[in-house]
Amino acid sequence: MFLPTTKKEMEGLGWEALDIILVTGDAYIDSPFVGVAVVGKVLLDAGYRVGVIGQPDTGSGDDIGRLGAPRLFWGVTGGCIDSMVANRTATGRRRKSDDYTPGGVNDRRPDRAAIAYANLIRRYSKKDTRPIVLGGIEASLRRIAHYDAWTDRVRRSVLFDAKADYLLYGMCERSVVELAGRLKEGKDPHGIRGLCHISKELPEGCVELPSFEDCEKDKDAFTRAFRTFYDNNDPPTARPLAQKHDARYLIQNPPALYLSGRELDRVYGLGYERDAHPYHLKDGEVKALETIRFSISTHRGCYGECGFCAIAVHEGRRVRSRSKESIIAEAKEMTRHPLFKGRIHDVGGPSANMYGSGCERMEEKGPCPKRSCISPKVCPLLKSGHAEQLELLKELRSVKGVKKAVVASGVRHDLVLADKKDGERYLKELVSHHVSGQMKIAPEHSEANVLEMMGKPGCDRNALIKFKELFYRFTKEAGLKQFLSYYLMAAHPGCTKSDMKKLKSFALKELGVLPEQVQVFTPTPSTYSTLIYWTERDPSTGKPCFVEKSERGREEQKAILAGTGGGKVKKGPHAPERHWSKGTHYRGKGR
Ligand code: SF4
């Protein structure tokens, strides 16, 4: 079922009033890839009456008032993507299209949507005193003082700017149910894990970060604050944090405990319509559905820790996988969907081949604090999940009604090569059965100094060449015609024009491609790469780092790689748009 979006639908359900109203910057899409749908279904499953208002008009009270006032709280999210990333390029130009808006024209989502919607609720619900609770990626990544590229300054926690009551960060199914329960019972919700709030006092036991005012004027203070923030993101080890903003404190409780595999299975089995609500569909198709409608999320979290990616801070570093049975059940349910034609568009997660992987230490205590699981070398204690994924994919292929199950999520080629037992077998199976014309990997660059700044020192050119050779060998053996495509990035901190020329030379000579679409680094909030962009220093050494900040220079870096080049060059298939339609993370064009 869809959650109600109008009074009439509420009446149809026999609901006089709602407990919780969720407000989102996207059209309401009932899909397990969409945070607002998942949170709504989880709350419904816990016994609450929930409604959704998608993309309300901020110029009047008509939309925001159409469901009345909630009994417990308003939940506000900017949508699946930070609204500034969705609406604007890094240089502030407005994007014309929006995959989460019916009809595709970017004319419904306000800039800084979480703030705009919190203001809207206050303006048109003057008598209503229900708490306003922020959630979703925009709030999550802006929960402490953060660098904002669109104003080129450090901004306060969004909780202050939105004047909201609480902020739930990360994947918040557990904390949102707990919050609803405490509000219903009239209990104090301030101690809930995964929750941020504002306090006049500094609570005992909090680690105090440099204040917003210090971070604003002192880049060293900002670096210290970010490092402490980043190091306190794993549930088993994180401590409560406090950051002074003027005379008050932003308090961040430790993150919510991760859902177990069984709990994840339950969340994904709550029954989703895999469509936009008819209220929105009357205004046109929602493009994001092309990629998310028939895709399956197999796991959450990523221990890759690429510096430009927000997953570590939002989803967490420990991989949590669903059971094979739950994934197969979802595939079977898909085959009964009237629009299903036999193709599952993706079976994956932040990195497709992290499914089922991990180590005992990670399970018990979270990832090692001072050591990366895969860089510069894959940790010998990391248990690969390739064997499990192979079994899963084989079973998916045999589901009646499934003609093809594509792995479209990025594959970590370094992990494949490091798995001496199952790595090549896994790649062979992918190539033979689970690639749809092209397979995507994300080397991002070829030059060691740039890869180091990206937090990907293990993804060197030799590994890439070896992976490419294996891919084409297996493709030939399978008698198929398909390509390997590469996500490459320009203007990452530390990258110069000279580095881009070397990357171009490498791409032409060793990979035999000239990508037409190259991503220009975007400094999104709360990543290590954004920290380097803002401070122009390597945070691990404190040494100055070159950062190309001018629009012209950044475009020139891109043009070096994406411009027309000589030689026998393959084009097109090697240059897909990044897949950023799937929910909560930034492995997309806006990173
Ligand atoms: S022991 Fe190795 S695989 Fe396990 S968390 Fe630490 S670095 Fe990662």
Side-chain angles (χ1 to χ4, degrees), residues 50 53 72-73 77 80 94 97 102 109 122 136 148 166 170 221 240 294 311 337 339 362 425 493 508 535 557 572 584:
V50 189
I53 300 175
L72 297 177
F73 67 89
T77 169
C80 288
R94 188 152 182 98
S97 62
R109 184 197 311 269
R122 270 193 307 277
D148 178 78
Y166 307 109
F294 298 124
I311 290 175
H337 194 286
L339 296 176
M362 216 189 292
R425 192 162 66 93
L508 284 169
T535 60
Q557 283 207 14
T584 53

Side-chain angles (χ1 to χ4, degrees), residues 149-392:
W150 295 271
T151 45
D152 193 28
R153 66 179 173 87
V154 172
R155 287 182 68 103
R156 304 190 295 176
S157 162
V158 68
L159 195 52
F160 286 93
D161 284 343
K163 298 187 183 68
D165 298 274
Y166 307 109
L167 184 158
L168 295 176
Y169 66 92
M171 312 303 276
C172 72
E173 293 99 336
R174 198 185 292 288
S175 40
V176 80
V177 171
E178 201 176 339
L179 178 69
R182 292 213 192 171
L183 292 176
K184 187 178 174 189
E185 291 164 17
K187 292 183 181 162
D188 179 6
H190 287 93
I192 294 173
R193 293 186 73 113
L195 178 138
C196 295
H197 62 95
I198 294 169
S199 168
K200 286 183 186 158
E201 315 291 336
L202 176 63
E204 238 179 82
C206 280
V207 176
E208 190 173 355
L209 306 177
S211 69
F212 159 68
E213 287 77 14
D214 285 346
C215 288
E216 197 183 21
K217 58 179 187 275
D218 177 356
K219 290 183 178 175
D220 288 338
F222 182 73
T223 303
R224 288 198 303 280
F226 183 77
R227 293 186 76 133
T228 307
F229 165 73
Y230 189 90
D231 290 343
N232 282 277
N233 263 304
D234 295 312
T237 52
R239 298 184 57 194
L241 304 178
Q243 186 174 46
K244 201 165 187 196
H245 286 59
D246 195 5
R248 294 182 295 166
Y249 292 88
L250 181 277
I251 309 298
Q252 175 183 302
N253 295 341
L257 300 180
Y258 294 146
L259 300 187
S260 65
R262 187 176 292 208
E263 288 170 319
L264 269 183
D265 289 352
R266 183 170 178 92
V267 167
Y268 284 91
L270 286 175
Y272 298 87
E273 295 287 334
R274 301 184 182 278
D275 211 340
H277 190 284
Y279 184 90
H280 298 283
L281 274 183
K282 65 180 174 6
D283 296 326
E285 291 298 316
V286 179
K287 193 163 189 293
L289 278 164
E290 287 173 17
T291 45
I292 65 175
R293 193 195 310 266
F294 298 124
S295 289
I296 298 180
S297 177
T298 56
H299 60 284
R300 290 179 176 178
C302 180
Y303 43 77
E305 293 189 85
C306 297
F308 44 77
C309 180
I311 290 175
V313 166
H314 184 64
E315 275 192 30
R317 291 186 291 167
R318 175 155 69 84
V319 168
R320 295 91 71 194
S321 301
R322 293 169 63 190
S323 70
K324 186 179 72 177
E325 291 70 27
S326 153
I327 295 166
I328 298 295
E330 186 175 348
K332 284 182 179 166
E333 186 217 294
M334 252 179 210
T335 62
R336 294 190 284 274
H337 194 286
L339 296 176
F340 187 71
K341 300 268 191 308
R343 173 177 287 245
I344 299 175
H345 292 284
D346 187 21
V347 182
S351 291
N353 55 330
M354 283 187 187
Y355 174 73
S357 66
C359 82
E360 275 178 25
R361 194 224 185 263
M362 216 189 292
E363 291 301 317
E364 284 167 25
K365 301 179 187 164
C368 293
K370 302 280 179 217
R371 182 177 162 193
S372 161
C373 299
I374 47 179
S375 291
K377 286 211 159 74
V378 176
C379 172
L381 298 178
L382 184 69
K383 177 182 94 49
S384 148
H386 289 127
E388 268 177 67
Q389 208 189 348
L390 277 167
E391 209 180 302
L392 169 69

